[in-house]
Amino acid sequence: MNTEPHPPQRCGLVAIVGRPNVGKSTLLNALVGQKVSITSAKAQTTRHRITGIRTVGASQFVFVDTPGFQTRHGQALNRTLNRTVLGTLSDVDVVLFVCEAGRFGLPDAQVLALLQGEGMEGKPVLLVANKLDALARRQDVLPWLRSMQERHAFAEFVPMSANKAADVERLLGIVEKHLPEQPWFHEEDALTDRSERFMAGEMIREKLFRLTGDELPYTSTVVVEKFEEEDPEAEAEGRPRRVRVAASIVVERDAHKGMVIGEGGERLKRIGSEARQELERLWGARVFLELWVKVRSGWADDEAHLRSYGYE
């Protein structure tokens, strides 16, 4: 009979913060072990607070991916994204400050300043030096880490590459030490607290950004108009689920609408096809996806439009 005491449960909120396009969403997906946050080369792909959950042994990590902090405050969309970052920081137990290894510019400094603000006293901040594999000379990381130590009293320094499984597991072990001892917030097999409807919109937006590249301004969004389970009893009866999604891609100008649709509608078809395939892999379901493109001039600077499109 095994009389050894079970280790106490640990659970905590872990914010992933950094400047835009530093690899936060890629890191979140790697930590969770499944795609829960969209990625693209376009800066500011993440626009919402995305929660990814990973339970290992007695510890549950509740990771929160945030938008990259915006330094251009003029637009209502940017102000909304920054409120999301600041609101997240006030709630969490641990912060992962993500930088590119060997690099630290003004946008990084502006995010770091948030971590030194009111309400952050005593909160452990770990420096995650990501994209280590992209550094030309590994020995350059040591003087850089020393310079970072002078900028902030980081609890830990973690040079790593988010695409290396061993590095990700090592980071989990380091974060675990900083989680409070308390019951889990979610079921053991939970991966995210976001709904499938929300994930559908995000996957369409990812394909939109990836397939339009720099042509399309980032002030474009996706609104899911309809999300229906066509056969609610399917899973219980051993049949594949069938999900029908109808969504609108919202752009600011007629010229942007043409970019999204493409010649003969080919680009819009490809966006829909790639999003549908991704959702089918994610859900293990048959997905029927309909897409439209709508022009809403000035939506990104209209607080009412932002709220109606799900921006908090």
Side-chain angles (χ1 to χ4, degrees), residues 132-148:
L132 185 64
D133 50 346
L135 202 61
R137 297 176 352 130
R138 289 290 179 93
Q139 59 266 40
D140 290 346
V141 80
L142 290 175
W144 179 80
L145 286 174
R146 282 196 289 270
S147 72
M148 293 301 293

Side-chain angles (χ1 to χ4, degrees), residues 211-259:
L211 293 171
T212 55
D214 291 331
E215 290 178 64
L216 188 69
Y218 92 97
T219 49
S220 311
T221 196
V222 173
V223 180
V224 176
E225 315 275 4
K226 184 171 76 173
F227 185 96
E228 289 180 355
E229 287 270 0
E230 291 208 327
D231 187 358
E233 307 301 320
E235 277 192 304
E237 296 175 5
R239 299 190 307 276
R241 295 168 63 206
R242 293 204 312 269
V243 181
R244 188 169 294 277
V245 180
S248 298
I249 294 171
V250 180
V251 296
E252 288 204 301
R253 297 179 186 170
D254 285 321
H256 301 160
K257 182 176 181 178
M259 292 175 195

Side-chain angles (χ1 to χ4, degrees), residues 2-193:
N2 187 356
T3 57
E4 287 186 23
H6 293 293
Q9 282 193 337
R10 290 179 177 270
C11 184
L13 291 171
V14 183
I16 303 174
V17 301
R19 63 170 170 79
N21 216 22
V22 78
K24 299 182 297 297
S25 297
T26 300
L27 179 60
L28 172 67
N29 291 336
L31 287 164
V32 173
Q34 182 170 315
K35 186 169 187 172
V36 294
S37 188
I38 66 173
T39 61
S40 83
K42 190 185 285 285
Q44 204 40 66
T45 300
T46 300
R47 293 195 186 155
H48 302 272
R49 171 175 164 152
I50 309 287
T51 301
I53 303 154
R54 175 84 175 268
T55 304
V56 181
S59 298
Q60 186 171 86
F61 306 80
V62 183
F63 294 104
V64 185
D65 183 20
T66 60
F69 194 77
Q70 298 296 295
T71 55
R72 296 172 299 174
H73 295 279
Q75 207 170 49
L77 176 59
N78 286 344
R79 294 195 298 273
T80 300
L81 301 180
N82 287 349
R83 283 200 300 270
T84 300
V85 179
L86 292 168
T88 298
L89 290 176
S90 65
D91 296 339
V92 301
D93 301 294
V94 186
V95 178
L96 304 184
F97 174 53
V98 185
C99 282
E100 284 188 41
R103 289 185 58 189
F104 188 85
L106 180 60
D108 300 291
Q110 288 169 320
V111 180
L112 185 58
L114 300 179
L115 307 181
Q116 297 164 334
E118 188 178 346
M120 295 300 294
E121 301 87 355
K123 201 165 282 194
V125 179
L126 282 60
L127 174 64
V128 177
N130 194 25
K131 304 187 183 181
L132 185 64
D133 50 346
L135 202 61
R137 297 176 352 130
R138 289 290 179 93
Q139 59 266 40
D140 290 346
V141 80
L142 290 175
W144 179 80
L145 286 174
R146 282 196 289 270
S147 72
M148 293 301 293
Q149 197 165 15
E150 293 170 5
R151 296 180 190 276
H152 186 81
F154 292 103
E156 310 266 3
F157 296 90
V158 192
M160 65 171 294
S161 298
N163 56 10
K164 292 191 175 176
D167 285 2
V168 172
E169 292 304 312
R170 180 166 55 88
L171 177 59
L172 279 170
I174 292 168
V175 173
E176 184 177 33
K177 297 183 294 184
H178 297 279
L179 297 180
E181 289 187 11
Q182 61 181 343
W184 297 343
F185 299 158
H186 301 278
E187 295 296 321
E188 187 172 1
D189 58 355
L191 293 172
T192 182
D193 65 349

